[in-house]
Amino acid sequence: MQVLQVQLEIRPDPAEVGRARRWARSRLAGSGVADDEPLSETLILLVSELVTNAVVHTGCPAVLRLSFQGPPGPPGAPAAPGGPGAQETPGGFVRLEVADLSPCAPEPRHADGDDTNGRGLELVDGLADRWGWSPEGLGKRIWCELDRCPAPPVPYGGGDGAGAAATTTAATASAYGGMAAYEAV
């Protein structure tokens, strides 16, 4: 399995949330994930939520990590095992981690009506394919994973599939909480 991991150090400053989103977006583009793919939009939202939680609730520096774990790459490419909680998926997955120095466990809350806080971990739970947390050193690591869809199969007969009325992919189903999203082709 191919693994690429990159990380960014985060200062305990609310301005870091925007910097983390820009950094993550550029790393996604560098890994071949287009800006307008559902995976990209969902991952950027999750980066925003988890980095905001680290900055606002801990007041400590943090580290944002992205791991791109995919199917076997070209011959001679290095391979590495997945991290804790890693699972094999046909198209691989993207793992997002935020590690901070606070030993306090994350506390999911339920926001009511006009509350402006308390929805972050609910969003993570609803959008990520998997998520969790574990102690790390003196602090903790919160992680989530989004499955990447495998390359679409070649249509029967080798055609380009232009005659299909609609398609759905694992990525769009995953990005919308398991509900299939259809795209006219």
PDB file of all heavy atoms in Angstrom, residues 143-163:
ATOM      1  N   TRP A 143      -8.377  11.607  15.183  1.00  0.00           N
ATOM      2  CA  TRP A 143      -8.194  11.250  13.780  1.00  0.00           C
ATOM      3  C   TRP A 143      -9.537  10.941  13.127  1.00  0.00           C
ATOM      4  O   TRP A 143     -10.505  10.614  13.790  1.00  0.00           O
ATOM      5  CB  TRP A 143      -7.254  10.043  13.640  1.00  0.00           C
ATOM      6  CG  TRP A 143      -7.749   8.808  14.332  1.00  0.00           C
ATOM      7  CD1 TRP A 143      -7.481   8.428  15.618  1.00  0.00           C
ATOM      8  CD2 TRP A 143      -8.619   7.802  13.798  1.00  0.00           C
ATOM      9  NE1 TRP A 143      -8.133   7.247  15.905  1.00  0.00           N
ATOM     10  CE2 TRP A 143      -8.828   6.842  14.818  1.00  0.00           C
ATOM     11  CE3 TRP A 143      -9.244   7.629  12.565  1.00  0.00           C
ATOM     12  CZ2 TRP A 143      -9.633   5.722  14.628  1.00  0.00           C
ATOM     13  CZ3 TRP A 143     -10.057   6.514  12.379  1.00  0.00           C
ATOM     14  CH2 TRP A 143     -10.230   5.578  13.398  1.00  0.00           C
ATOM     15  N   CYS A 144      -9.543  11.079  11.813  1.00  0.00           N
ATOM     16  CA  CYS A 144     -10.694  10.635  11.024  1.00  0.00           C
ATOM     17  C   CYS A 144     -10.182  10.196   9.661  1.00  0.00           C
ATOM     18  O   CYS A 144      -9.090  10.574   9.241  1.00  0.00           O
ATOM     19  CB  CYS A 144     -11.769  11.714  10.914  1.00  0.00           C
ATOM     20  SG  CYS A 144     -11.280  13.208  10.076  1.00  0.00           S
ATOM     21  N   GLU A 145     -10.966   9.369   9.001  1.00  0.00           N
ATOM     22  CA  GLU A 145     -10.593   8.851   7.693  1.00  0.00           C
ATOM     23  C   GLU A 145     -11.750   8.990   6.715  1.00  0.00           C
ATOM     24  O   GLU A 145     -12.918   8.817   7.090  1.00  0.00           O
ATOM     25  CB  GLU A 145     -10.207   7.363   7.789  1.00  0.00           C
ATOM     26  CG  GLU A 145      -8.958   7.137   8.597  1.00  0.00           C
ATOM     27  CD  GLU A 145      -8.645   5.674   8.841  1.00  0.00           C
ATOM     28  OE1 GLU A 145      -9.510   4.801   8.621  1.00  0.00           O
ATOM     29  OE2 GLU A 145      -7.503   5.412   9.272  1.00  0.00           O
ATOM     30  N   LEU A 146     -11.388   9.317   5.483  1.00  0.00           N
ATOM     31  CA  LEU A 146     -12.343   9.381   4.381  1.00  0.00           C
ATOM     32  C   LEU A 146     -11.863   8.424   3.295  1.00  0.00           C
ATOM     33  O   LEU A 146     -10.711   8.498   2.870  1.00  0.00           O
ATOM     34  CB  LEU A 146     -12.423  10.790   3.795  1.00  0.00           C
ATOM     35  CG  LEU A 146     -13.037  11.864   4.678  1.00  0.00           C
ATOM     36  CD1 LEU A 146     -12.880  13.223   4.042  1.00  0.00           C
ATOM     37  CD2 LEU A 146     -14.494  11.562   4.921  1.00  0.00           C
ATOM     38  N   ASP A 147     -12.742   7.542   2.855  1.00  0.00           N
ATOM     39  CA  ASP A 147     -12.387   6.599   1.802  1.00  0.00           C
ATOM     40  C   ASP A 147     -12.301   7.317   0.467  1.00  0.00           C
ATOM     41  O   ASP A 147     -13.098   8.208   0.173  1.00  0.00           O
ATOM     42  CB  ASP A 147     -13.426   5.479   1.710  1.00  0.00           C
ATOM     43  CG  ASP A 147     -13.427   4.594   2.945  1.00  0.00           C
ATOM     44  OD1 ASP A 147     -12.385   4.510   3.619  1.00  0.00           O
ATOM     45  OD2 ASP A 147     -14.467   3.985   3.214  1.00  0.00           O
ATOM     46  N   ARG A 148     -11.316   6.906  -0.323  1.00  0.00           N
ATOM     47  CA  ARG A 148     -11.191   7.398  -1.699  1.00  0.00           C
ATOM     48  C   ARG A 148     -11.806   6.351  -2.604  1.00  0.00           C
ATOM     49  O   ARG A 148     -11.678   5.165  -2.363  1.00  0.00           O
ATOM     50  CB  ARG A 148      -9.726   7.587  -2.073  1.00  0.00           C
ATOM     51  CG  ARG A 148      -9.030   8.616  -1.207  1.00  0.00           C
ATOM     52  CD  ARG A 148      -7.571   8.690  -1.529  1.00  0.00           C
ATOM     53  NE  ARG A 148      -7.392   9.564  -2.676  1.00  0.00           N
ATOM     54  CZ  ARG A 148      -6.197   9.942  -3.115  1.00  0.00           C
ATOM     55  NH1 ARG A 148      -5.105   9.519  -2.531  1.00  0.00           N
ATOM     56  NH2 ARG A 148      -6.105  10.741  -4.151  1.00  0.00           N
ATOM     57  N   CYS A 149     -12.496   6.796  -3.632  1.00  0.00           N
ATOM     58  CA  CYS A 149     -13.100   5.813  -4.524  1.00  0.00           C
ATOM     59  C   CYS A 149     -12.034   5.281  -5.464  1.00  0.00           C
ATOM     60  O   CYS A 149     -11.129   5.996  -5.867  1.00  0.00           O
ATOM     61  CB  CYS A 149     -14.266   6.404  -5.299  1.00  0.00           C
ATOM     62  SG  CYS A 149     -13.798   7.649  -6.492  1.00  0.00           S
ATOM     63  N   PRO A 150     -12.130   4.004  -5.821  1.00  0.00           N
ATOM     64  CA  PRO A 150     -11.208   3.457  -6.809  1.00  0.00           C
ATOM     65  C   PRO A 150     -11.515   4.042  -8.184  1.00  0.00           C
ATOM     66  O   PRO A 150     -12.589   4.617  -8.387  1.00  0.00           O
ATOM     67  CB  PRO A 150     -11.486   1.957  -6.771  1.00  0.00           C
ATOM     68  CG  PRO A 150     -12.873   1.840  -6.236  1.00  0.00           C
ATOM     69  CD  PRO A 150     -13.089   3.041  -5.340  1.00  0.00           C
ATOM     70  N   ALA A 151     -10.592   3.878  -9.094  1.00  0.00           N
ATOM     71  CA  ALA A 151     -10.828   4.332 -10.470  1.00  0.00           C
ATOM     72  C   ALA A 151     -12.073   3.636 -10.998  1.00  0.00           C
ATOM     73  O   ALA A 151     -12.286   2.456 -10.728  1.00  0.00           O
ATOM     74  CB  ALA A 151      -9.628   4.016 -11.340  1.00  0.00           C
ATOM     75  N   PRO A 152     -12.916   4.366 -11.743  1.00  0.00           N
ATOM     76  CA  PRO A 152     -14.137   3.731 -12.250  1.00  0.00           C
ATOM     77  C   PRO A 152     -13.792   2.576 -13.178  1.00  0.00           C
ATOM     78  O   PRO A 152     -12.818   2.641 -13.917  1.00  0.00           O
ATOM     79  CB  PRO A 152     -14.853   4.854 -13.002  1.00  0.00           C
ATOM     80  CG  PRO A 152     -13.878   5.945 -13.171  1.00  0.00           C
ATOM     81  CD  PRO A 152     -12.770   5.734 -12.184  1.00  0.00           C
ATOM     82  N   PRO A 153     -14.588   1.513 -13.147  1.00  0.00           N
ATOM     83  CA  PRO A 153     -14.314   0.368 -14.018  1.00  0.00           C
ATOM     84  C   PRO A 153     -14.542   0.740 -15.476  1.00  0.00           C
ATOM     85  O   PRO A 153     -15.344   1.614 -15.787  1.00  0.00           O
ATOM     86  CB  PRO A 153     -15.309  -0.685 -13.551  1.00  0.00           C
ATOM     87  CG  PRO A 153     -16.400   0.084 -12.877  1.00  0.00           C
ATOM     88  CD  PRO A 153     -15.762   1.330 -12.314  1.00  0.00           C
ATOM     89  N   VAL A 154     -13.819   0.052 -16.343  1.00  0.00           N
ATOM     90  CA  VAL A 154     -14.019   0.248 -17.778  1.00  0.00           C
ATOM     91  C   VAL A 154     -15.361  -0.375 -18.126  1.00  0.00           C
ATOM     92  O   VAL A 154     -15.638  -1.516 -17.744  1.00  0.00           O
ATOM     93  CB  VAL A 154     -12.874  -0.420 -18.578  1.00  0.00           C
ATOM     94  CG1 VAL A 154     -13.130  -0.318 -20.074  1.00  0.00           C
ATOM     95  CG2 VAL A 154     -11.552   0.205 -18.203  1.00  0.00           C
ATOM     96  N   PRO A 155     -16.227   0.362 -18.852  1.00  0.00           N
ATOM     97  CA  PRO A 155     -17.546  -0.188 -19.207  1.00  0.00           C
ATOM     98  C   PRO A 155     -17.416  -1.457 -20.025  1.00  0.00           C
ATOM     99  O   PRO A 155     -16.445  -1.651 -20.744  1.00  0.00           O
ATOM    100  CB  PRO A 155     -18.199   0.929 -20.025  1.00  0.00           C
ATOM    101  CG  PRO A 155     -17.443   2.155 -19.692  1.00  0.00           C
ATOM    102  CD  PRO A 155     -16.053   1.713 -19.324  1.00  0.00           C
ATOM    103  N   TYR A 156     -18.427  -2.316 -19.907  1.00  0.00           N
ATOM    104  CA  TYR A 156     -18.468  -3.550 -20.666  1.00  0.00           C
ATOM    105  C   TYR A 156     -18.316  -3.229 -22.143  1.00  0.00           C
ATOM    106  O   TYR A 156     -18.955  -2.323 -22.663  1.00  0.00           O
ATOM    107  CB  TYR A 156     -19.796  -4.284 -20.406  1.00  0.00           C
ATOM    108  CG  TYR A 156     -19.909  -5.575 -21.154  1.00  0.00           C
ATOM    109  CD1 TYR A 156     -19.198  -6.688 -20.722  1.00  0.00           C
ATOM    110  CD2 TYR A 156     -20.687  -5.676 -22.284  1.00  0.00           C
ATOM    111  CE1 TYR A 156     -19.278  -7.874 -21.405  1.00  0.00           C
ATOM    112  CE2 TYR A 156     -20.776  -6.858 -22.975  1.00  0.00           C
ATOM    113  CZ  TYR A 156     -20.058  -7.962 -22.543  1.00  0.00           C
ATOM    114  OH  TYR A 156     -20.137  -9.137 -23.235  1.00  0.00           O
ATOM    115  N   GLY A 157     -17.453  -3.954 -22.807  1.00  0.00           N
ATOM    116  CA  GLY A 157     -17.241  -3.742 -24.232  1.00  0.00           C
ATOM    117  C   GLY A 157     -16.173  -2.700 -24.517  1.00  0.00           C
ATOM    118  O   GLY A 157     -15.865  -2.410 -25.652  1.00  0.00           O
ATOM    119  N   GLY A 158     -15.589  -2.103 -23.460  1.00  0.00           N
ATOM    120  CA  GLY A 158     -14.489  -1.175 -23.645  1.00  0.00           C
ATOM    121  C   GLY A 158     -14.891   0.215 -24.080  1.00  0.00           C
ATOM    122  O   GLY A 158     -14.045   1.041 -24.367  1.00  0.00           O
ATOM    123  N   GLY A 159     -16.185   0.526 -24.150  1.00  0.00           N
ATOM    124  CA  GLY A 159     -16.614   1.866 -24.563  1.00  0.00           C
ATOM    125  C   GLY A 159     -16.309   2.900 -23.502  1.00  0.00           C
ATOM    126  O   GLY A 159     -15.749   2.601 -22.455  1.00  0.00           O
ATOM    127  N   ASP A 160     -16.693   4.138 -23.791  1.00  0.00           N
ATOM    128  CA  ASP A 160     -16.405   5.216 -22.845  1.00  0.00           C
ATOM    129  C   ASP A 160     -17.532   5.441 -21.841  1.00  0.00           C
ATOM    130  O   ASP A 160     -17.436   6.301 -20.971  1.00  0.00           O
ATOM    131  CB  ASP A 160     -16.082   6.523 -23.567  1.00  0.00           C
ATOM    132  CG  ASP A 160     -17.268   7.060 -24.358  1.00  0.00           C
ATOM    133  OD1 ASP A 160     -18.357   6.442 -24.329  1.00  0.00           O
ATOM    134  OD2 ASP A 160     -17.090   8.103 -25.017  1.00  0.00           O
ATOM    135  N   GLY A 161     -18.601   4.694 -21.931  1.00  0.00           N
ATOM    136  CA  GLY A 161     -19.694   4.805 -20.966  1.00  0.00           C
ATOM    137  C   GLY A 161     -20.585   6.004 -21.188  1.00  0.00           C
ATOM    138  O   GLY A 161     -21.414   6.331 -20.359  1.00  0.00           O
ATOM    139  N   ALA A 162     -20.457   6.690 -22.335  1.00  0.00           N
ATOM    140  CA  ALA A 162     -21.216   7.913 -22.572  1.00  0.00           C
ATOM    141  C   ALA A 162     -22.718   7.668 -22.654  1.00  0.00           C
ATOM    142  O   ALA A 162     -23.499   8.576 -22.452  1.00  0.00           O
ATOM    143  CB  ALA A 162     -20.738   8.590 -23.860  1.00  0.00           C
ATOM    144  N   GLY A 163     -23.117   6.421 -22.891  1.00  0.00           N
ATOM    145  CA  GLY A 163     -24.533   6.131 -23.006  1.00  0.00           C
ATOM    146  C   GLY A 163     -25.233   5.958 -21.660  1.00  0.00           C
ATOM    147  O   GLY A 163     -26.436   5.843 -21.603  1.00  0.00           O
TER     148      GLY A 163
END
